[in-house]
Amino acid sequence: MSMYNMLLLQDMVGWVGIEAGLFHDYTMMLLCLITVGFCLFLYFMVSSGAYIIKGYSSSDYLEFTWTVVPAFLLYSLGVPSLYLMYFMEGASKYDLTLKVIGHQWYWSYELNDFNSVVEFDSYMVNLSDLGVGDFRLLEVDNVVSLPFLSKVRVLVSSGDVLHAWALPSLGLKIDACPGRLNFMNVSCLRPSLVFGECSEICGVNHSFMPIGVEFVSWDDFLSCYGS
């Protein structure tokens, strides 16, 4: 989770977040190389004098370079971006399906993979009810438990206005739109407790819609919901 004075991205616990973090680092590396190269080019042009600058005004080689190099840079960004986009869609087979409904200002969850439907609401814990070590504005009364090292399909919708179900530690964010069912894939690599918040302005209590998801083993998951 994000900490005070944190400059970098959060430690990712899912493959999507790891791939997104690698793409972010790769993009920042290209931006740094472009900035340094442009500064060196300006320094060379200015230090070489007006005579050489005038000679570059009709250079075919220069025109070829500033056409091919940006095209290559865009290609080098587009290919991993498309790969990441299709990677986020994930596989077509899932181990579990979780349905998420956004409300003003709480979340409703539903699991239909059991003999009986498991559904519950999740509200933020009031400040007066927080215990020692709890996180302000992030703790919820009902944490969602999901199995780690499993493919979980999350169906997201809204019962009133626009919301957004986001888990930064997994690199995931999806809009909850009224009358529309969006989906995404959630997969965690290790037992974790991740937090998120509604990432779409949805009213006066928008800042008080935290998300809590705990990734546990299959045995603990079945003991929690299987009965």
Side-chain angles (χ1 to χ4, degrees), residues 63-155:
E63 292 181 3
F64 176 80
T65 301
W66 70 36
T67 301
V68 174
V69 172
F72 173 76
L73 292 176
L74 291 177
Y75 176 81
S76 64
L77 287 175
V79 171
S81 178
L82 290 174
Y83 166 78
L84 180 60
M85 182 180 67
Y86 283 100
F87 182 79
M88 293 177 66
E89 296 296 331
S92 58
K93 295 182 179 180
Y94 308 95
D95 301 317
L96 191 68
T97 298
L98 172 68
K99 187 176 181 180
V100 182
I101 304 294
H103 303 277
Q104 290 181 314
W105 288 271
Y106 64 96
W107 298 99
S108 296
Y109 299 97
E110 183 178 320
L111 291 166
N112 296 317
D113 295 275
F114 302 98
N115 294 329
S116 59
V117 178
V118 178
E119 52 185 357
F120 56 91
D121 298 330
S122 180
Y123 292 84
M124 186 191 73
V125 177
N126 294 327
L127 297 179
S128 58
D129 298 329
L130 291 177
V132 178
D134 290 342
F135 297 104
R136 175 178 173 269
L137 301 181
L138 288 178
E139 298 291 342
V140 295
D141 55 356
N142 289 316
V143 177
V144 183
S145 295
L146 295 175
F148 69 95
L149 291 179
S150 302
K151 299 176 182 178
V152 181
R153 178 178 60 175
V154 180
L155 305 177

Side-chain angles (χ1 to χ4, degrees), residues 5-217:
N5 279 343
M6 188 174 181
L7 297 178
L8 301 178
L9 298 177
Q10 299 184 21
D11 293 334
M12 299 298 175
V13 295
W15 281 118
V16 174
I18 292 175
E19 292 290 340
L22 292 175
F23 179 70
H24 168 268
D25 296 340
Y26 173 71
T27 304
M28 294 303 298
M29 180 192 68
L30 284 183
L31 290 177
C32 291
L33 291 177
I34 293 172
T35 303
V36 172
F38 181 71
C39 292
L40 291 177
F41 176 76
L42 288 181
Y43 174 78
F44 171 75
M45 296 296 291
V46 173
S47 62
S48 60
Y51 177 76
I52 296 183
I53 295 177
K54 182 179 179 180
Y56 275 104
S57 61
S58 60
S59 173
D60 295 336
Y61 175 76
L62 182 60
E63 292 181 3
F64 176 80
T65 301
W66 70 36
T67 301
V68 174
V69 172
F72 173 76
L73 292 176
L74 291 177
Y75 176 81
S76 64
L77 287 175
V79 171
S81 178
L82 290 174
Y83 166 78
L84 180 60
M85 182 180 67
Y86 283 100
F87 182 79
M88 293 177 66
E89 296 296 331
S92 58
K93 295 182 179 180
Y94 308 95
D95 301 317
L96 191 68
T97 298
L98 172 68
K99 187 176 181 180
V100 182
I101 304 294
H103 303 277
Q104 290 181 314
W105 288 271
Y106 64 96
W107 298 99
S108 296
Y109 299 97
E110 183 178 320
L111 291 166
N112 296 317
D113 295 275
F114 302 98
N115 294 329
S116 59
V117 178
V118 178
E119 52 185 357
F120 56 91
D121 298 330
S122 180
Y123 292 84
M124 186 191 73
V125 177
N126 294 327
L127 297 179
S128 58
D129 298 329
L130 291 177
V132 178
D134 290 342
F135 297 104
R136 175 178 173 269
L137 301 181
L138 288 178
E139 298 291 342
V140 295
D141 55 356
N142 289 316
V143 177
V144 183
S145 295
L146 295 175
F148 69 95
L149 291 179
S150 302
K151 299 176 182 178
V152 181
R153 178 178 60 175
V154 180
L155 305 177
V156 183
S157 185
S158 173
D160 37 49
V161 298
L162 288 175
H163 300 279
W165 201 74
L167 293 173
S169 296
L170 294 173
L172 298 174
K173 175 183 177 294
I174 186 168
D175 292 334
C177 307
R180 182 184 179 91
L181 198 63
N182 295 327
F183 84 97
M184 65 179 176
N185 304 310
V186 174
S187 180
C188 186
L189 300 177
R190 60 179 182 267
S192 307
L193 177 61
V194 298
F195 295 99
E197 292 180 294
C198 178
S199 300
E200 188 75 36
I201 297 178
C202 55
V204 63
N205 288 331
H206 158 69
S207 301
F208 307 105
M209 285 185 63
I211 303 166
V213 180
E214 183 180 15
F215 290 93
V216 297
S217 64

